[in-house]
Amino acid sequence: MSEPTGAVLPVVRAPAAVLGTAAAAVDPCAPEIVRLAADLVATMKVSPGCVGLAAPQVGVGAQVFAVDVTGHPKARTVHGAFVLCNARVLEASQWQKGREGCMSVPDLTGDVKRANRLVVAGFAPGSTEEIEIVTDAFEARALQHEIDHCAGLLFLDRVAGAHAVYARKVYL
């Protein structure tokens, strides 16, 4: 099966309601979900510095996200570009604080404590077979950030307080 070419979608910004609402589980084989996955990858690829994008960020309340940390200096384990549907964390350990930003909150960054080692299960678009991704470091952080989007959470919901939020110095 050939991968569909995705459309570039507009990214919604906080305080859009879809960003604060838990997304619905999806049928990973549904044609509209396979198309959405391609759209997420296409949108991510044209967005400088973007390493992940969740369906709620393009206004769709679905548990689907794309991640690609290829070439990022903080990445250790890299699985390339992939999309997961209905992802859930199976194991999380080695918690560390790190700086995060988000296309839906373009003017701010914040310090967020995340697991540095992660095991996630989910479904690839177009497949009924569950896959597990074992990762660490920056890719683990990116996965947790996107899973949060699917749960209706922004990184700002995870910061320790106003002292851990900063004005973004570099605009992407």
Side-chain angles (χ1 to χ4, degrees), residues 63 65 82-91 118-124 129-135 143 147:
Q63 290 183 29
F65 63 81
F82 62 91
V83 178
L84 282 181
C85 303
N86 307 331
R88 64 191 201 287
V89 175
L90 300 179
E91 296 176 33
L118 195 69
V119 180
V120 171
F123 297 87
E129 187 174 326
E130 189 169 55
I131 56 173
E132 282 188 12
I133 294 179
V134 179
T135 191
L143 274 164
I147 289 170

Side-chain angles (χ1 to χ4, degrees), residues 18 21 24 30-31 33 41 49 59 68 81 85 96 109-110 113 118 122 126 129 134 143 157:
V18 69
T21 305
I33 297 304
V41 171
D68 186 359
C85 303
Q96 290 183 342
T109 62
K113 195 171 188 181
L118 195 69
E129 187 174 326
V134 179
L143 274 164
D157 297 313

Side-chain angles (χ1 to χ4, degrees), residues 17-147:
V18 69
L19 295 172
T21 305
V26 300
D27 172 358
C29 292
E32 64 272 15
I33 297 304
V34 174
R35 191 168 33 258
L36 174 61
D39 293 347
L40 289 171
V41 171
T43 304
M44 193 171 69
K45 286 186 179 193
V46 301
S47 305
C50 182
V51 296
L53 188 66
Q57 292 181 273
V58 295
V60 180
Q63 290 183 29
V64 183
F65 63 81
V67 167
D68 186 359
V69 300
T70 303
H72 194 281
K74 292 183 181 174
R76 283 200 313 245
T77 301
V78 177
H79 287 90
F82 62 91
V83 178
L84 282 181
C85 303
N86 307 331
R88 64 191 201 287
V89 175
L90 300 179
E91 296 176 33
S93 61
Q94 300 175 6
W95 296 80
Q96 290 183 342
K97 190 167 59 171
R99 187 69 55 91
E100 291 186 22
C102 180
M103 288 174 58
S104 293
V105 187
D107 298 327
L108 301 172
T109 62
D111 292 333
V112 181
K113 195 171 188 181
R114 302 266 191 203
N116 199 46
R117 186 183 180 297
L118 195 69
V119 180
V120 171
F123 297 87
S127 173
T128 57
E129 187 174 326
E130 189 169 55
I131 56 173
E132 282 188 12
I133 294 179
V134 179
T135 191
D136 59 14
F138 190 72
E139 190 175 66
R141 179 168 294 277
L143 274 164
Q144 290 165 91
H145 181 106
E146 301 312 326
I147 289 170

